Amino acid sequence: TTLLYTIKFEDMGSVKERLKAEFDERLKAVERLKELEGGAGPSSADGPSSSADPADTEERAKLQVLVSALSEEQLDRYEAFRRSKFPQSMMRKLVHSFTGVSPSSNCCIALSGIAKVLVGQIVEESLDVQESLKESGPIHPKHIRDAVRRMRNKGILGVSHHRKSKLKRL
């Protein structure tokens, strides 16, 4: 029985070390998240104020709890998502090519945000497609094509018309 207690005691020591290391990692992750969100929100420039919306502070607390539960790999992906954006110059050229009008910077910012949300939805649906096919690993173009098809069928994406013109060129 002393051997059994010795083994359990040694196991408890390694568990304690692992838990401490995991806690330290999550604490660092929360600190990194605070640094990332430090300049992101309009209320963060003024610092915490007494006139802040209670719903906003509650939402922030929920986000912190959620992020503190993320693994290191998930946190890295979350940080990459937060930092990712579509360049305004690219959006300006794209809008100009379709409309022939140079868009304002606010228009470019709004379109960049919409594009980022759309890409996120397509990736989520692609992961669902991959899961339904019982595959693992990175998503492939076939998953993305199937996801876009599903989203069009649901009405989330507009229907594209790739028909040839009925008019003949002379």
Side-chain angles (χ1 to χ4, degrees), residues 142-162:
K142 67 179 181 180
H143 301 132
I144 296 171
R145 282 191 296 269
D146 199 21
V148 169
R149 183 187 55 77
R150 285 183 183 184
M151 291 173 77
R152 281 190 180 135
N153 289 341
K154 291 178 187 175
I156 297 172
L157 288 179
V159 180
S160 66
H161 302 284
H162 294 292

Side-chain angles (χ1 to χ4, degrees), residues 12 17 21 26 31-32 34 36 48 56 62 73 80 82 88 91 116 122 125 138 142-144 158-159 161 164:
M12 288 302 290
E17 290 172 7
R26 292 197 180 187
E31 289 172 359
R32 284 196 316 206
K34 286 180 182 177
L36 283 175
D56 188 40
K62 286 180 182 178
E73 181 183 347
R82 292 281 299 183
Q88 282 191 22
M91 296 307 285
K116 185 176 176 178
I122 292 172
E125 188 69 30
K142 67 179 181 180
H143 301 132
I144 296 171
V159 180
H161 302 284
K164 290 185 179 180

Side-chain angles (χ1 to χ4, degrees), residues 56-75:
D56 188 40
T57 55
E58 181 180 322
E59 194 69 30
R60 224 176 250 267
K62 286 180 182 178
L63 180 65
Q64 284 183 344
V65 168
L66 179 66
V67 169
S68 66
L70 296 177
S71 69
E72 189 68 28
E73 181 183 347
Q74 289 171 329
L75 186 66

Side-chain angles (χ1 to χ4, degrees), residues 41-61:
S43 63
S44 63
D46 300 333
S49 63
S50 59
S51 64
D53 185 21
D56 188 40
T57 55
E58 181 180 322
E59 194 69 30
R60 224 176 250 267

Side-chain angles (χ1 to χ4, degrees), residues 11-170:
D11 287 343
M12 288 302 290
S14 64
V15 168
K16 184 178 176 183
E17 290 172 7
R18 265 197 329 247
L19 287 174
K20 185 179 181 325
E22 186 176 326
F23 177 77
D24 289 341
E25 286 178 16
R26 292 197 180 187
L27 186 62
K28 288 177 187 175
V30 169
E31 289 172 359
R32 284 196 316 206
L33 179 68
K34 286 180 182 177
E35 289 174 7
L36 283 175
E37 292 188 355
S43 63
S44 63
D46 300 333
S49 63
S50 59
S51 64
D53 185 21
D56 188 40
T57 55
E58 181 180 322
E59 194 69 30
R60 224 176 250 267
K62 286 180 182 178
L63 180 65
Q64 284 183 344
V65 168
L66 179 66
V67 169
S68 66
L70 296 177
S71 69
E72 189 68 28
E73 181 183 347
Q74 289 171 329
L75 186 66
D76 289 341
R77 277 187 277 162
Y78 177 74
E79 288 175 358
F81 167 76
R82 292 281 299 183
R83 286 190 308 259
S84 66
K85 64 179 183 176
F86 287 93
Q88 282 191 22
S89 61
M90 183 183 74
M91 296 307 285
R92 189 177 312 278
K93 288 177 187 175
L94 186 67
V95 171
H96 184 68
S97 70
F98 285 125
T99 63
V101 178
S102 184
S104 68
S105 62
N106 287 341
C107 178
C108 291
I109 291 169
L111 287 175
S112 296
I114 292 169
K116 185 176 176 178
V117 169
L118 179 65
V119 169
Q121 288 177 339
I122 292 172
V123 169
E124 285 180 18
E125 188 69 30
S126 299
L127 290 170
D128 291 343
V129 167
Q130 183 184 36
E131 187 177 303
S132 69
L133 296 173
K134 295 177 177 53
E135 296 178 359
S136 62
I139 57 175
H140 296 289
K142 67 179 181 180
H143 301 132
I144 296 171
R145 282 191 296 269
D146 199 21
V148 169
R149 183 187 55 77
R150 285 183 183 184
M151 291 173 77
R152 281 190 180 135
N153 289 341
K154 291 178 187 175
I156 297 172
L157 288 179
V159 180
S160 66
H161 302 284
H162 294 292
R163 297 181 191 161
K164 290 185 179 180
S165 175
K166 293 181 181 179
L167 300 174
K168 291 185 179 180
R169 236 181 192 175
L170 297 176

